[in-house]
Short mmCIF file of all heavy atoms in Angstrom, two decimals:
data_model
loop_
_atom_site.label_atom_id
_atom_site.label_comp_id
_atom_site.label_asym_id
_atom_site.label_seq_id
_atom_site.Cartn_x
_atom_site.Cartn_y
_atom_site.Cartn_z
N TRP A 31 10.52 0.79 5.10
CA TRP A 31 10.31 1.01 3.67
C TRP A 31 9.45 2.25 3.59
O TRP A 31 8.95 2.72 4.62
CB TRP A 31 9.66 -0.21 2.98
CG TRP A 31 8.25 -0.52 3.39
CD1 TRP A 31 7.85 -1.21 4.51
CD2 TRP A 31 7.05 -0.17 2.69
NE1 TRP A 31 6.49 -1.29 4.55
CE2 TRP A 31 5.96 -0.66 3.45
CE3 TRP A 31 6.77 0.52 1.50
CZ2 TRP A 31 4.62 -0.48 3.05
CZ3 TRP A 31 5.45 0.68 1.11
CH2 TRP A 31 4.39 0.18 1.88
N LEU A 32 9.29 2.82 2.42
CA LEU A 32 8.52 4.06 2.29
C LEU A 32 7.43 3.92 1.24
O LEU A 32 7.68 3.40 0.14
CB LEU A 32 9.43 5.23 1.88
CG LEU A 32 10.63 5.51 2.78
CD1 LEU A 32 11.43 6.71 2.24
CD2 LEU A 32 10.21 5.76 4.22
N MET A 33 6.23 4.37 1.57
CA MET A 33 5.18 4.42 0.56
C MET A 33 5.67 5.31 -0.58
O MET A 33 6.24 6.38 -0.34
CB MET A 33 3.89 4.99 1.17
CG MET A 33 3.26 4.02 2.17
SD MET A 33 1.59 4.53 2.64
CE MET A 33 1.95 5.54 4.07
N ARG A 34 5.43 4.86 -1.81
CA ARG A 34 5.91 5.54 -3.02
C ARG A 34 7.43 5.68 -3.06
O ARG A 34 7.97 6.69 -3.51
CB ARG A 34 5.27 6.93 -3.16
CG ARG A 34 3.79 6.89 -3.46
CD ARG A 34 3.55 6.41 -4.89
NE ARG A 34 2.14 6.40 -5.21
CZ ARG A 34 1.49 7.40 -5.79
NH1 ARG A 34 2.12 8.50 -6.13
NH2 ARG A 34 0.22 7.28 -6.05
N GLN A 35 8.12 4.63 -2.57
CA GLN A 35 9.59 4.69 -2.57
C GLN A 35 10.17 4.61 -3.97
O GLN A 35 11.30 5.06 -4.21
CB GLN A 35 10.17 3.60 -1.67
CG GLN A 35 9.90 2.17 -2.12
CD GLN A 35 10.30 1.14 -1.06
OE1 GLN A 35 10.55 1.47 0.09
NE2 GLN A 35 10.36 -0.12 -1.45
N ALA A 36 9.42 3.99 -4.90
CA ALA A 36 9.82 4.01 -6.31
C ALA A 36 9.03 5.14 -6.96
O ALA A 36 7.81 5.14 -6.90
CB ALA A 36 9.48 2.69 -6.97
N GLY A 37 9.71 6.10 -7.56
CA GLY A 37 8.90 7.15 -8.17
C GLY A 37 9.70 8.34 -8.64
O GLY A 37 10.92 8.30 -8.75
N ARG A 38 8.94 9.39 -8.87
CA ARG A 38 9.46 10.54 -9.61
C ARG A 38 10.62 11.25 -8.95
O ARG A 38 11.32 12.03 -9.60
CB ARG A 38 8.33 11.55 -9.85
CG ARG A 38 7.48 11.17 -11.02
CD ARG A 38 6.28 12.08 -11.13
NE ARG A 38 5.36 11.80 -10.04
CZ ARG A 38 4.19 12.42 -9.87
NH1 ARG A 38 3.83 13.37 -10.69
NH2 ARG A 38 3.41 12.08 -8.87
N PHE A 43 14.21 6.53 -12.11
CA PHE A 43 12.79 6.30 -12.43
C PHE A 43 12.37 7.22 -13.57
O PHE A 43 11.72 6.80 -14.52
CB PHE A 43 11.91 6.58 -11.20
CG PHE A 43 10.42 6.50 -11.46
CD1 PHE A 43 9.75 5.29 -11.39
CD2 PHE A 43 9.69 7.64 -11.81
CE1 PHE A 43 8.38 5.21 -11.63
CE2 PHE A 43 8.32 7.57 -12.05
CZ PHE A 43 7.67 6.35 -11.97
N ARG A 47 10.70 6.48 -17.18
CA ARG A 47 9.35 7.00 -17.38
C ARG A 47 9.14 7.45 -18.83
O ARG A 47 8.04 7.36 -19.36
CB ARG A 47 9.13 8.18 -16.45
CG ARG A 47 7.69 8.56 -16.33
CD ARG A 47 7.51 9.34 -15.08
NE ARG A 47 7.89 10.72 -15.31
CZ ARG A 47 7.14 11.73 -14.93
NH1 ARG A 47 6.00 11.51 -14.32
NH2 ARG A 47 7.54 12.95 -15.14
N PHE A 52 2.28 5.11 -18.12
CA PHE A 52 2.21 4.51 -16.79
C PHE A 52 1.65 3.08 -16.82
O PHE A 52 2.20 2.17 -16.20
CB PHE A 52 1.38 5.41 -15.86
CG PHE A 52 1.31 4.89 -14.46
CD1 PHE A 52 2.41 4.97 -13.62
CD2 PHE A 52 0.15 4.32 -13.97
CE1 PHE A 52 2.37 4.48 -12.33
CE2 PHE A 52 0.09 3.84 -12.67
CZ PHE A 52 1.20 3.92 -11.85
N ARG A 55 4.09 0.70 -18.20
CA ARG A 55 5.16 0.39 -17.23
C ARG A 55 4.68 -0.64 -16.21
O ARG A 55 5.42 -1.54 -15.84
CB ARG A 55 5.60 1.67 -16.51
CG ARG A 55 6.68 2.43 -17.26
CD ARG A 55 7.04 3.72 -16.55
NE ARG A 55 6.06 4.75 -16.87
CZ ARG A 55 5.70 5.73 -16.07
NH1 ARG A 55 6.23 5.84 -14.88
NH2 ARG A 55 4.81 6.62 -16.46
N CYS A 56 3.42 -0.50 -15.76
CA CYS A 56 2.88 -1.48 -14.79
C CYS A 56 2.74 -2.86 -15.42
O CYS A 56 2.88 -3.87 -14.74
CB CYS A 56 1.50 -1.04 -14.29
SG CYS A 56 1.52 0.47 -13.31
N ILE A 79 7.95 -2.80 -2.48
CA ILE A 79 6.53 -2.82 -2.83
C ILE A 79 6.39 -2.82 -4.35
O ILE A 79 7.04 -2.03 -5.05
CB ILE A 79 5.73 -1.66 -2.18
CG1 ILE A 79 4.23 -1.81 -2.51
CG2 ILE A 79 6.28 -0.29 -2.59
CD1 ILE A 79 3.31 -1.04 -1.58
N LEU A 80 5.60 -3.78 -4.80
CA LEU A 80 5.31 -3.94 -6.22
C LEU A 80 5.03 -2.59 -6.88
O LEU A 80 4.25 -1.80 -6.37
CB LEU A 80 4.07 -4.83 -6.35
CG LEU A 80 3.41 -4.91 -7.73
CD1 LEU A 80 4.29 -5.71 -8.67
CD2 LEU A 80 2.02 -5.53 -7.62
N PHE A 81 5.63 -2.33 -8.03
CA PHE A 81 5.28 -1.14 -8.80
C PHE A 81 4.02 -1.44 -9.61
O PHE A 81 4.04 -2.24 -10.55
CB PHE A 81 6.42 -0.72 -9.73
CG PHE A 81 6.05 0.53 -10.49
CD1 PHE A 81 6.11 1.77 -9.88
CD2 PHE A 81 5.61 0.45 -11.80
CE1 PHE A 81 5.73 2.91 -10.56
CE2 PHE A 81 5.23 1.60 -12.49
CZ PHE A 81 5.29 2.83 -11.87
N SER A 82 2.93 -0.81 -9.22
CA SER A 82 1.66 -0.95 -9.92
C SER A 82 0.79 0.19 -9.44
O SER A 82 1.32 1.23 -9.01
CB SER A 82 1.02 -2.31 -9.57
OG SER A 82 -0.21 -2.47 -10.23
N ASP A 83 -0.52 0.08 -9.48
CA ASP A 83 -1.39 1.13 -8.95
C ASP A 83 -2.70 0.51 -8.49
O ASP A 83 -3.12 -0.54 -9.00
CB ASP A 83 -1.66 2.20 -10.01
CG ASP A 83 -2.22 3.47 -9.36
OD1 ASP A 83 -1.43 4.28 -8.85
OD2 ASP A 83 -3.45 3.62 -9.32
N ILE A 84 -3.36 1.20 -7.56
CA ILE A 84 -4.66 0.70 -7.08
C ILE A 84 -5.72 0.73 -8.20
O ILE A 84 -6.70 0.01 -8.12
CB ILE A 84 -5.16 1.48 -5.85
CG1 ILE A 84 -5.46 2.94 -6.19
CG2 ILE A 84 -4.16 1.40 -4.69
CD1 ILE A 84 -6.29 3.65 -5.11
N LEU A 85 -5.49 1.54 -9.23
CA LEU A 85 -6.51 1.66 -10.29
C LEU A 85 -6.33 0.63 -11.40
O LEU A 85 -7.11 0.58 -12.35
CB LEU A 85 -6.51 3.08 -10.86
CG LEU A 85 -6.79 4.15 -9.79
CD1 LEU A 85 -6.78 5.55 -10.40
CD2 LEU A 85 -8.13 3.89 -9.09
N PHE A 97 -3.69 7.96 -17.28
CA PHE A 97 -2.99 8.82 -16.33
C PHE A 97 -2.52 10.03 -17.10
O PHE A 97 -1.62 9.95 -17.93
CB PHE A 97 -1.82 8.08 -15.68
CG PHE A 97 -2.26 7.09 -14.65
CD1 PHE A 97 -2.57 5.78 -15.00
CD2 PHE A 97 -2.41 7.46 -13.31
CE1 PHE A 97 -2.99 4.87 -14.04
CE2 PHE A 97 -2.84 6.55 -12.35
CZ PHE A 97 -3.13 5.26 -12.72
N VAL A 98 -3.14 11.17 -16.82
CA VAL A 98 -2.85 12.39 -17.57
C VAL A 98 -1.83 13.21 -16.79
O VAL A 98 -2.03 13.52 -15.61
CB VAL A 98 -4.15 13.21 -17.79
CG1 VAL A 98 -3.85 14.46 -18.61
CG2 VAL A 98 -5.21 12.35 -18.46
N GLN A 99 -0.74 13.54 -17.47
CA GLN A 99 0.34 14.31 -16.86
C GLN A 99 -0.21 15.60 -16.23
O GLN A 99 -0.89 16.37 -16.90
CB GLN A 99 1.36 14.66 -17.96
CG GLN A 99 2.73 14.99 -17.44
CD GLN A 99 3.43 13.77 -16.82
OE1 GLN A 99 3.57 12.77 -17.47
NE2 GLN A 99 3.84 13.88 -15.58
N THR A 101 -2.60 16.01 -14.19
CA THR A 101 -4.00 15.94 -13.76
C THR A 101 -4.23 14.74 -12.85
O THR A 101 -5.08 14.78 -11.96
CB THR A 101 -4.93 15.79 -14.99
OG1 THR A 101 -4.62 16.85 -15.90
CG2 THR A 101 -6.39 15.86 -14.60
N GLY A 102 -3.51 13.65 -13.11
CA GLY A 102 -3.77 12.42 -12.37
C GLY A 102 -4.65 11.49 -13.18
O GLY A 102 -4.82 11.68 -14.39
N PRO A 103 -5.23 10.50 -12.53
CA PRO A 103 -5.99 9.48 -13.26
C PRO A 103 -7.33 10.01 -13.77
O PRO A 103 -8.00 10.79 -13.10
CB PRO A 103 -6.21 8.39 -12.21
CG PRO A 103 -6.03 9.03 -10.88
CD PRO A 103 -5.13 10.21 -11.08
N PHE A 159 -0.15 -5.29 -2.99
CA PHE A 159 -1.12 -4.34 -2.46
C PHE A 159 -2.34 -4.23 -3.37
O PHE A 159 -2.33 -4.68 -4.51
CB PHE A 159 -0.50 -2.94 -2.29
CG PHE A 159 -0.26 -2.23 -3.61
CD1 PHE A 159 -1.24 -1.41 -4.16
CD2 PHE A 159 0.94 -2.38 -4.28
CE1 PHE A 159 -1.02 -0.74 -5.36
CE2 PHE A 159 1.17 -1.72 -5.48
CZ PHE A 159 0.19 -0.90 -6.03
N GLY A 161 -5.95 -1.23 -3.64
CA GLY A 161 -6.76 -0.21 -2.99
C GLY A 161 -7.87 -0.92 -2.23
O GLY A 161 -8.33 -1.98 -2.64
N THR A 165 -11.92 3.34 -1.44
CA THR A 165 -11.04 4.29 -2.14
C THR A 165 -11.04 4.02 -3.64
O THR A 165 -11.04 4.96 -4.45
CB THR A 165 -9.62 4.22 -1.53
OG1 THR A 165 -9.69 4.84 -0.24
CG2 THR A 165 -8.58 4.91 -2.39
N TYR A 169 -12.57 6.69 -7.05
CA TYR A 169 -12.06 7.03 -8.38
C TYR A 169 -12.98 6.51 -9.48
O TYR A 169 -13.18 7.15 -10.52
CB TYR A 169 -10.63 6.49 -8.57
CG TYR A 169 -9.64 7.24 -7.72
CD1 TYR A 169 -9.26 6.76 -6.47
CD2 TYR A 169 -9.09 8.44 -8.14
CE1 TYR A 169 -8.36 7.46 -5.66
CE2 TYR A 169 -8.19 9.14 -7.36
CZ TYR A 169 -7.83 8.64 -6.12
OH TYR A 169 -6.95 9.34 -5.33
N GLY A 175 -9.52 12.20 -9.55
CA GLY A 175 -9.25 12.56 -8.17
C GLY A 175 -10.13 13.73 -7.74
O GLY A 175 -10.70 14.43 -8.58
N PHE A 222 -4.71 -0.04 0.72
CA PHE A 222 -4.67 1.43 0.81
C PHE A 222 -6.10 1.97 0.79
O PHE A 222 -6.79 1.86 -0.21
CB PHE A 222 -3.92 2.01 -0.39
CG PHE A 222 -2.43 1.79 -0.36
CD1 PHE A 222 -1.87 0.63 -0.88
CD2 PHE A 222 -1.58 2.74 0.18
CE1 PHE A 222 -0.49 0.43 -0.85
CE2 PHE A 222 -0.20 2.56 0.20
CZ PHE A 222 0.35 1.39 -0.31
N ASP A 223 -6.52 2.58 1.92
CA ASP A 223 -7.85 3.22 1.93
C ASP A 223 -7.65 4.72 2.14
O ASP A 223 -7.98 5.29 3.19
CB ASP A 223 -8.76 2.60 3.00
CG ASP A 223 -10.20 2.46 2.50
OD1 ASP A 223 -10.55 3.16 1.51
OD2 ASP A 223 -10.98 1.68 3.08
N SER A 224 -7.11 5.36 1.12
CA SER A 224 -6.65 6.75 1.23
C SER A 224 -7.76 7.72 1.57
O SER A 224 -7.51 8.77 2.14
CB SER A 224 -6.01 7.17 -0.09
OG SER A 224 -4.98 6.29 -0.41
N TRP A 225 -9.02 7.39 1.21
CA TRP A 225 -10.12 8.33 1.41
C TRP A 225 -11.09 7.87 2.49
O TRP A 225 -12.18 8.43 2.63
CB TRP A 225 -10.83 8.60 0.07
CG TRP A 225 -9.85 9.16 -0.91
CD1 TRP A 225 -9.32 8.54 -2.00
CD2 TRP A 225 -9.23 10.46 -0.84
NE1 TRP A 225 -8.39 9.36 -2.61
CE2 TRP A 225 -8.32 10.54 -1.93
CE3 TRP A 225 -9.33 11.54 0.04
CZ2 TRP A 225 -7.53 11.67 -2.16
CZ3 TRP A 225 -8.55 12.67 -0.21
CH2 TRP A 225 -7.67 12.72 -1.29
N PHE A 261 -4.46 0.51 5.87
CA PHE A 261 -4.12 1.95 5.92
C PHE A 261 -5.39 2.78 5.71
O PHE A 261 -5.68 3.21 4.59
CB PHE A 261 -3.09 2.25 4.83
CG PHE A 261 -2.62 3.69 4.75
CD1 PHE A 261 -2.30 4.42 5.89
CD2 PHE A 261 -2.47 4.31 3.52
CE1 PHE A 261 -1.86 5.74 5.81
CE2 PHE A 261 -2.03 5.63 3.41
CZ PHE A 261 -1.72 6.34 4.56
N ARG A 263 -6.57 5.90 5.83
CA ARG A 263 -6.00 7.24 5.97
C ARG A 263 -7.04 8.25 6.47
O ARG A 263 -8.18 8.24 6.02
CB ARG A 263 -5.41 7.71 4.63
CG ARG A 263 -4.45 8.88 4.77
CD ARG A 263 -3.72 9.16 3.48
NE ARG A 263 -4.57 9.76 2.48
CZ ARG A 263 -4.71 11.08 2.31
NH1 ARG A 263 -4.04 11.92 3.07
NH2 ARG A 263 -5.51 11.54 1.39
N HIS A 339 2.31 9.10 4.50
CA HIS A 339 1.73 9.07 3.15
C HIS A 339 2.92 8.98 2.20
O HIS A 339 4.05 8.83 2.65
CB HIS A 339 0.87 10.32 2.91
CG HIS A 339 -0.17 10.14 1.83
ND1 HIS A 339 -0.89 11.18 1.33
CD2 HIS A 339 -0.61 9.03 1.16
CE1 HIS A 339 -1.75 10.74 0.40
NE2 HIS A 339 -1.58 9.43 0.28
N GLY A 340 2.66 9.02 0.89
CA GLY A 340 3.74 8.74 -0.05
C GLY A 340 4.81 9.81 -0.15
O GLY A 340 4.58 10.99 0.14
N PRO A 343 7.12 14.02 -5.05
CA PRO A 343 8.09 14.02 -6.16
C PRO A 343 9.30 14.94 -5.99
O PRO A 343 10.40 14.53 -6.36
CB PRO A 343 7.24 14.42 -7.37
CG PRO A 343 5.86 13.93 -7.03
CD PRO A 343 5.73 14.13 -5.55
O1 CP3 B 1 4.24 2.74 -3.14
C1 CP3 B 1 4.63 2.54 -4.31
O2 CP3 B 1 5.52 3.21 -4.84
C2 CP3 B 1 4.03 1.39 -5.08
C3 CP3 B 1 3.25 1.75 -6.24
C4 CP3 B 1 2.01 2.60 -6.02
C5 CP3 B 1 1.62 3.63 -6.92
N1 CP3 B 1 0.42 4.10 -6.51
C6 CP3 B 1 2.39 4.09 -8.09
C7 CP3 B 1 2.00 5.32 -8.79
C8 CP3 B 1 1.03 2.52 -5.03
C9 CP3 B 1 0.98 1.62 -3.81
C10 CP3 B 1 0.02 3.46 -5.37
C11 CP3 B 1 -1.20 3.62 -4.56
C12 CP3 B 1 -2.20 4.61 -4.96
N2 CP3 B 1 -2.54 5.02 -6.22
C13 CP3 B 1 -3.07 5.25 -4.04
C14 CP3 B 1 -3.11 5.00 -2.55
C15 CP3 B 1 -2.00 5.67 -1.81
C16 CP3 B 1 -2.09 7.18 -1.80
O3 CP3 B 1 -1.18 7.79 -2.37
O4 CP3 B 1 -3.04 7.71 -1.24
C17 CP3 B 1 -3.90 6.10 -4.78
C18 CP3 B 1 -5.00 6.99 -4.23
C19 CP3 B 1 -3.56 5.94 -6.17
C20 CP3 B 1 -4.22 6.58 -7.36
C21 CP3 B 1 -3.25 7.39 -8.14
N3 CP3 B 1 -2.23 6.87 -8.91
C22 CP3 B 1 -3.22 8.80 -8.29
C23 CP3 B 1 -4.16 9.76 -7.60
C24 CP3 B 1 -2.15 9.11 -9.16
C25 CP3 B 1 -1.75 10.46 -9.70
C26 CP3 B 1 -1.14 11.34 -8.68
C27 CP3 B 1 0.25 10.88 -8.29
O5 CP3 B 1 0.44 10.64 -7.10
O6 CP3 B 1 1.11 10.77 -9.16
C28 CP3 B 1 -1.52 7.89 -9.48
C29 CP3 B 1 -0.33 7.71 -10.37
C30 CP3 B 1 0.81 6.94 -9.83
N4 CP3 B 1 0.75 5.79 -9.09
C31 CP3 B 1 2.17 7.24 -10.04
C32 CP3 B 1 2.92 6.25 -9.40
C33 CP3 B 1 4.41 6.11 -9.34
C34 CP3 B 1 2.70 8.43 -10.84
C35 CP3 B 1 2.57 8.14 -12.31
C36 CP3 B 1 3.63 8.85 -13.11
O7 CP3 B 1 4.71 8.27 -13.24
O8 CP3 B 1 3.35 9.95 -13.56
#
Side-chain angles (χ1 to χ4, degrees):
W31 66 279
L32 304 180
M33 291 191 269
R34 291 289 182 93
Q35 64 190 13
R38 279 173 290 181
F43 175 86
R47 194 160 82 133
F52 183 73
R55 273 177 279 149
C56 294
I79 184 160
L80 168 72
F81 181 78
S82 180
D83 196 83
I84 65 165
L85 301 180
F97 285 89
V98 182
Q99 201 67 56
T101 307
F159 72 90
T165 288
Y169 290 95
F222 288 87
D223 219 341
S224 304
W225 301 108
F261 180 44
R263 197 170 73 92
H339 203 191

